[in-house]
Amino acid sequence: MNSSSCGGNMYNTSLIVDSATNGASIPVCMVAAIMVFAYKLHRKTVYRLALYQVLTAEAMAGIHVTQVVIIDYYAAPSKYEDVCKAFAYLTLFVEWAKLLLSTWVTLHLFVFAVFHKNLRRCEAVYVVTSLAIPALIASLPFATSSYGLAGSWCWIKSKTDVSNGSACYEERVLVGTIEQFALWYGPSLLLLFISSVAMVLIMIVLGQRMCGGQLDTGKRHCRYKDQHWKAFKQLLPLAAYPIVYFIFTIPPFVYRVYRACVLNRSIVHDGLELTAAISTSAWCLAAGLTLIVHIIMTRSFLFGRKHTYVMIKENLSN
C-alpha cells in the first residue's frame, strides 16, 4: 500500500495544514497565560478557570502539531499504529477536558450572575471532573479497537483502508462511526449549545441590571448603571468561549457526517477535511485571543477608576 494509491497525498497536505495552523495558536495561548500571571489574575477563580481552558487549548494544539511525525503513515502503517493510537487517546482526552472546563466556566458565571452565589469552593470539583471524566471516556475506544487514523489525523476511525493488489479502497467501521458521534459530537454540541444559551441569558441579566428598572436619573443611579455597563463589557469576552467553541465545532461535525455517509474521496471531502483542520486550530487560537482581549479590556477599565474596580471585584471575585 502506498500513499498515492490510498489518498496519501491529500493526507499529507491536510496533516501539514493542521500542524502549521495549530502551531500558530501555541504562542498566543502562551501570551494569554503569561498575562494572567503577570497581572496576578490567577488569584481569582474565574480567571483560573479561563486559564485552565487556555492551557487545554494549548495542549490540543501541541498534540496536533506533533502528529506531523506520522506523515509517512501510509508508507508503513504498522510502524506508526501504536503512536497513532496514543495521539488519538490524548486528542479525545484533551477535547473532553476542554469541553468540561468551558461548561464549568459557564456554570460558574451563570450561578453568580443569576442567583448571586459564588461557587469558588467548587473549583477542585471542576478540575477533578475535567480530568477524571475525560480519562474514562477516552478509554472506551480501546475496548473496541476504534483508535487509528481518522482522515488526516489520529482519532476514532470511521473507515479503514483496504488494499487489493493495485487497488485501494475504504471500508466503513460502524463501531467507530457510532463512537465518533456518541462519545464526542453528540455530547459536545449539546453541552456547547446549552452553554451558549446560558451565556446569552447572563448577558441579558446584566443588561437589565444596567438600567436597574428605575426612572431615577440621579448621580447614584448613573454610577450604578455605569458600573454594570463596564462589568457587562468585561464579561462579554468570557461569554464568547462556549459560543465560539460551538461555532468552530460545526465544521468538523459536518466533515465527519459527510465522511460517514460517503465512502469515496472527492473534492468536497478534501475541502471539508481542510476546513475541519483549520477550525480545530481556530478554536485554540480563539481561546487564547479571547482571554487576552478580556484582560486588556479589564485592565483598561481598572486603570484610574476605583469605583469600577469595586464592581469588577463583585463580579469576578474569588
Side-chain angles (χ1 to χ4, degrees):
M1 189 186 302
N2 56 55
S3 66
S4 61
S5 64
C6 293
N9 291 334
M10 188 60 202
Y11 158 77
N12 289 347
T13 300
S14 299
L15 182 60
I16 291 172
V17 170
D18 181 53
S19 298
T21 51
N22 275 282
S25 65
I26 291 178
V28 176
C29 291
M30 290 180 64
V31 170
I34 291 171
M35 290 179 68
V36 169
F37 286 102
Y39 290 118
K40 297 181 175 59
L41 298 174
H42 60 283
R43 298 173 180 175
K44 303 181 185 300
T45 303
V46 71
Y47 284 105
R48 287 196 297 273
L49 294 176
L51 176 62
Y52 300 153
Q53 193 161 237
V54 167
L55 293 177
T56 55
E58 188 170 8
M60 174 62 70
I63 292 170
H64 279 262
V65 169
T66 52
Q67 285 198 45
V68 75
V69 301
I70 62 166
I71 197 167
D72 292 328
Y73 184 93
Y74 278 103
S78 59
K79 177 182 177 181
Y80 296 104
E81 185 177 0
D82 291 338
V83 176
C84 190
K85 289 180 179 180
F87 277 130
Y89 173 83
L90 290 174
T91 298
L92 187 59
F93 172 82
V94 176
E95 281 178 335
W96 264 99
K98 187 157 53 76
L99 173 65
L100 290 178
L101 285 169
S102 177
T103 303
W104 294 139
V105 169
T106 304
L107 176 66
H108 189 87
L109 294 176
F110 182 82
V111 171
F112 185 87
V114 177
F115 300 105
H116 301 285
K117 293 184 178 180
N118 198 323
L119 299 180
R120 61 181 180 273
R121 294 181 180 178
C122 296
E123 183 179 356
V125 176
Y126 299 158
V127 175
V128 171
T129 54
S130 297
L131 293 175
I133 294 176
L136 175 62
I137 294 176
S139 298
L140 296 178
F142 280 124
T144 54
S145 300
S146 299
Y147 278 140
L149 193 65
S152 292
W153 48 88
C154 300
W155 198 54
I156 302 171
K157 59 184 178 182
S158 59
K159 296 181 182 180
T160 183
D161 290 321
V162 178
S163 180
N164 183 13
S166 60
C168 181
Y169 58 94
E170 292 181 315
E171 286 187 350
R172 182 175 288 108
V173 179
L174 181 59
V175 174
T177 302
I178 293 173
E179 287 179 340
Q180 284 184 352
F181 297 98
L183 297 182
W184 176 243
Y185 286 110
S188 64
L189 288 174
L190 177 61
L191 282 176
L192 289 172
F193 176 76
I194 294 173
S195 296
S196 298
V197 172
M199 279 299 190
V200 171
L201 292 176
I202 290 172
M203 294 297 101
I204 292 175
V205 169
L206 290 178
Q208 291 177 337
R209 290 176 185 170
M210 284 191 297
C211 300
Q214 302 176 20
L215 296 176
D216 179 20
T217 57
K219 275 189 174 183
R220 183 176 181 180
H221 177 62
C222 289
R223 178 179 294 180
Y224 174 84
K225 180 179 177 181
D226 181 59
Q227 290 171 352
H228 278 281
W229 168 240
K230 288 179 174 63
F232 175 84
K233 289 197 288 187
Q234 291 161 34
L235 286 176
L236 193 59
L238 290 179
Y241 270 115
I243 298 173
V244 171
Y245 195 177
F246 179 72
I247 292 173
F248 284 132
T249 302
I250 293 176
F253 170 73
V254 174
Y255 164 64
R256 293 300 176 184
V257 170
Y258 183 88
R259 185 172 168 80
C261 297
V262 181
L263 280 174
N264 298 326
R265 294 187 72 100
S266 62
I267 294 177
V268 175
H269 176 281
D270 294 342
L272 289 174
E273 189 172 74
L274 284 173
T275 303
I278 294 172
S279 296
T280 302
S281 60
W283 156 245
C284 296
L285 183 64
L289 286 176
T290 300
L291 186 55
I292 290 173
V293 170
H294 173 78
I295 293 173
I296 291 174
M297 291 178 66
T298 303
R299 298 299 299 182
S300 64
F301 286 130
L302 282 175
F303 187 74
R305 292 175 170 83
K306 290 185 179 179
H307 68 278
T308 305
Y309 177 69
V310 173
M311 186 59 203
I312 295 169
K313 286 194 69 175
E314 290 176 358
N315 283 274
L316 300 176
S317 58
N318 288 333

